[in-house]
Structures are given as structure tokens and as C-alpha cells.
Amino acid sequence: MKINFTINGNHICLDIDPMRRLIDVIRNDLGFTGTKEGCGEGECGACTILLDGKPVTSCILNVIHADGKEILTAEGIAQKPIGKLLIDCFDETNAVQCGFCFPGFLVVSYYYLISDGEPSLKKIKSALSGNICRCTGYKKIFESVMLACERKPRMNTNEHE
Ligand code: FES
Ligand code: FES
């Protein structure tokens, strides 16, 4: 079956089994290996992408769910001004150790910054509650996102994508 979608700005047309897992197509067929597989059951958030602008766990979706849609992975977000801001803030606060969870946290944090972005610890915790980190501890991760929220108003960007 033919499946069409856009990923990180590139239009893709694949002749593919529509029931294949979206994460496998993203990682293995298209090479966007920033999307990680942790639990494979929709529980850890490592495989999170934005699908038509909303965070979804790509390990529990079949590729047919992406047909006609727009995908943004951690690689695409890393090219955007708010993505770069978040990466700088995670770096500054030493919020990443092994880095396995980071792409998923980057995706949900980016979504929070473009959809709300209030520097509220309560809201940030809630926005990131679906993602698991086995090393760093959440305090520094929340601090990073808080820092990005505080700095975002000073950026010369009105990024909403
Ligand atoms: S690998 Fe998809 S949610 Fe854990
Ligand atoms: S930094 Fe290792 S899982 Fe989060």
C-alpha cells in the first residue's frame, strides 16, 4: 500500500505494509534514529514524535496512521529555534546523562513551549509526565524546561509549528 507523509519537512511516499510500526519505519527505513525504543508499549515516551503537531508514541502506532500527515522527530525539532533553546538549557543544567530519554523529552518539552510555555513547575511536570528517565532524575529536566520557558519570551521568534 502507498503511504504518504512529511517528515522533518521532507515529503515521503512509501510502498509498504500499512501495519508496520511507525517507529520502525522512522528509525530503520528513514534513518531518523533519534527516535528511541524503550518499552515498546507506549509507557516510557522515548519514541515520542509530533504527528500533525501533537505528541504521540510511535511504538504503538502503525504507519498507516501517518498517512497524509506531518511528522516532526527530535532531529527536526533540533533545527528549530525553540528546539535549539531547549537543547542549550538541557546542556546548561546537565539534565542528560546517558541521553537515551532525551529525544522524547525534547519532543514533549518543545510541544509544551509552543502550546503553552508558562514557566510553571506544576504545568511542566504535567506536560512531561508521560516520559521516563532512568538516570538523571527529573529535577534537572524540569529545571531545564523552566529555564527555556523563562528565556523564550526574549527570543525573536514566533514559532508555532
Ligand atoms: S518505546 Fe514507545 S513509549 Fe516506550
Ligand atoms: S539520561 Fe539516561 S534515561 Fe534519561
Side-chain angles (χ1 to χ4, degrees):
M1 178 178 172
K2 289 255 179 8
I3 305 275
N4 290 276
F5 54 83
T6 301
I7 183 162
N8 298 332
N10 304 299
H11 183 72
I12 304 283
C13 179
L14 299 170
D15 197 356
I16 195 169
D17 174 355
M19 298 313 285
R20 282 188 59 206
R21 295 190 315 163
L22 183 54
I23 187 173
D24 296 331
V25 175
I26 290 172
R27 284 180 53 83
N28 304 337
D29 297 29
L30 302 175
F32 291 106
T33 53
T35 304
K36 303 297 184 201
E37 177 158 12
C39 65
E41 296 177 347
E43 300 292 338
C44 75
C47 65
T48 307
I49 58 165
L50 294 186
L51 186 64
D52 274 358
K54 294 276 166 29
V56 295
T57 45
S58 60
C59 69
I60 55 168
L61 288 181
N62 302 116
V63 67
I64 194 169
H65 290 110
D67 194 32
K69 297 190 176 166
E70 192 172 340
I71 293 172
L72 202 54
T73 69
E75 288 93 338
I77 288 171
Q79 300 305 314
K80 294 179 176 289
I82 289 177
K84 289 179 182 163
L85 168 69
L86 278 162
I87 290 168
D88 287 346
C89 292
F90 271 77
D91 190 32
E92 245 177 85
T93 49
N94 293 315
V96 180
Q97 286 185 35
C98 81
F100 190 82
C101 66
F102 178 62
F105 274 107
L106 180 63
V107 173
V108 292
S109 302
Y110 175 82
Y111 179 71
Y112 179 69
L113 259 82
I114 62 168
S115 60
D116 186 322
E118 186 187 336
S120 148
L121 191 56
K122 192 174 168 200
K123 282 188 172 183
I124 291 169
K125 281 183 179 174
S126 168
L128 274 54
S129 62
N131 289 61
I132 292 173
C133 173
R134 291 169 185 82
C135 327
T136 304
Y138 297 94
K139 190 166 176 283
K140 288 189 173 190
I141 293 173
F142 298 149
E143 274 174 25
S144 307
V145 180
M146 180 72 96
L147 190 58
C149 290
E150 287 165 358
R151 288 185 182 170
K152 184 189 163 205
R154 286 183 249 144
M155 293 174 71
N156 189 19
T157 176
N158 56 359
E159 183 175 19
H160 291 295
E161 59 186 52

